[in-house]
Structure formats: C-alpha cells, structure tokens
Amino acid sequence: MIVALIIACEVGFWVLLALALAVRYLLKKRRASVVLLLCEPVLELVLFVVTAIDLKNGAEPSWEHGLAALYIGFTVGYGHYMISWLDGHAAHRLGGGPKPVGPPKYGLARARHEGKLWVRTLVAAGVALVLLQGAVWYVGGDGNVESLRSFQWAALRAAGIHGLVALAYTIWPKKEPVPETTPVPEKAPAPEKGSR
C-alpha cells in the first residue's frame, strides 16, 4: 500500500506542477497557480501520516517505509529547486520570457553550483534520517527495525557520494575549452619596385 501511495504522490506532484504552470502561463492566473503549488507539500504530509498510521497499526517496518522517508526527504531537499527550474522553462516556452540560464559548466562557478546541490542532498538525507529515526523509536526495541536502519545508511551513502562528487569539482575544476584559432593566411610579399 505504501509503494502505491508513493507512486500516487509522485504522479500527483507532476500533475499539480503541470496544472500550476498551465494556469500561470496559459490562463494568466498567478494566484491560482500559487494555490496549486502550495498543495504540493500536502502530498508529502499525506504520505507521512499514512506511513505513521501503517506502523501504528502494527505493520512490520519494511523497505516501503524506508522508501517513503527517502521520498519525503528528496522532495523537501529538491522540490523547490525542481519547481523553479521548470517554472523558468515554462516562462520561456509558454510565457514568452527569456531563455533560462543553465548551470555553469566550468571552473569554480561549477564547483559552487555542485556544492549547492550537495547541500540540498544533505537536507534530503537529514530529513530522511530524522523520519527513519522517528520510525525506529516509534516501533521500539521489540520490533524489527533492520530495514529502516538500512535506509538510514542508504541516505548517508548518497550524501557521502554526492559530497565526493562536489569535492572533485572543487579540487579538479573542469576547464573551459580553449577556442580553436584559425590560422590567418600570410600575405605574399609585395614585389619590389623595378623588379620584373
């Protein structure tokens, strides 16, 4: 049941986002689109409550509960970023706005961008860890919480691996390619006056 709810929340996220952007740029109703976007966190709240009720009713903690915590964490960490990114593209395609500027590709600017993304991953992992630890305490010492603990390690591993990637961009920043210069043809020397 939890997996079906996670899928429903994911589908709901994209449907609400598409509706909000359509209402904002096609119907030109900004306030209505904001209301639709504010419904996004309700999906995560519903998933959280249903997961807690499932555990309260005596369900054995499983990978489904761990996945729900990771999903909520990811949405908290990356939800606003994804919405802003899609809003920029919708403003360009549907609203006649300027083309959105992509992330930097080279040098320290790229390293800073990767660092900011890593902070989002830390937030996502932190939220997932807190939710999973709450579930562990809720189930208590008598229940089998091994699957919840394994998802805690998965969240930590994801944050660690992403941290190493962000660090690599700082230590070895990607260099901008040097533009190729086309050789300028040399001019033939002008013939000297009086020579034939």
Side-chain angles (χ1 to χ4, degrees):
M1 175 177 113
I2 300 295
V3 173
L5 187 58
I6 292 170
I7 293 169
C9 286
E10 180 68 10
V11 170
F13 175 86
W14 292 107
V15 167
L16 276 174
L17 183 55
L19 282 173
L21 294 175
V23 165
R24 175 174 289 184
Y25 295 109
L26 296 177
L27 301 179
K28 309 287 189 215
K29 298 192 182 277
R30 185 167 177 81
R31 285 189 182 175
S33 73
V34 170
V35 170
L36 286 168
L37 288 175
L38 289 175
C39 291
E40 297 280 6
V42 173
L43 296 172
E44 279 64 46
L45 184 61
V46 167
L47 179 60
F48 175 73
V49 169
V50 169
T51 303
I53 290 171
D54 192 42
L55 288 171
K56 182 177 170 69
N57 289 339
E60 187 72 24
S62 67
W63 65 272
E64 298 166 336
H65 301 100
L67 184 62
L70 289 182
Y71 175 80
I72 292 170
F74 178 82
T75 304
V76 170
Y78 280 91
H80 184 267
Y81 177 79
M82 290 189 324
I83 289 171
S84 297
W85 182 81
L86 284 170
D87 185 46
H89 284 279
H92 171 63
R93 300 253 183 211
L94 303 175
K99 184 175 182 178
V101 178
K105 294 181 180 180
Y106 308 106
L108 291 179
R110 178 60 187 229
R112 278 191 294 277
H113 174 74
E114 291 297 326
K116 289 177 185 176
L117 289 180
W118 179 59
V119 169
R120 291 185 179 282
T121 300
L122 286 177
V123 169
V127 168
L129 288 170
V130 167
L131 291 175
L132 289 163
Q133 189 59 43
V136 167
W137 288 335
Y138 187 70
V139 171
D142 298 337
N144 181 10
V145 294
E146 191 175 313
S147 64
L148 299 176
R149 293 278 186 216
S150 70
F151 272 91
Q152 284 181 316
W153 283 111
L156 287 171
R157 277 193 308 273
I161 291 168
H162 193 178
L164 291 174
V165 170
L167 183 63
Y169 274 99
T170 304
I171 295 172
W172 300 287
K174 190 173 180 183
K175 295 181 181 174
E176 192 168 355
V178 178
E180 291 184 25
T181 57
T182 55
V184 177
E186 293 183 23
K187 291 183 180 178
E192 292 180 23
K193 288 186 177 181
S195 61
R196 290 192 176 195

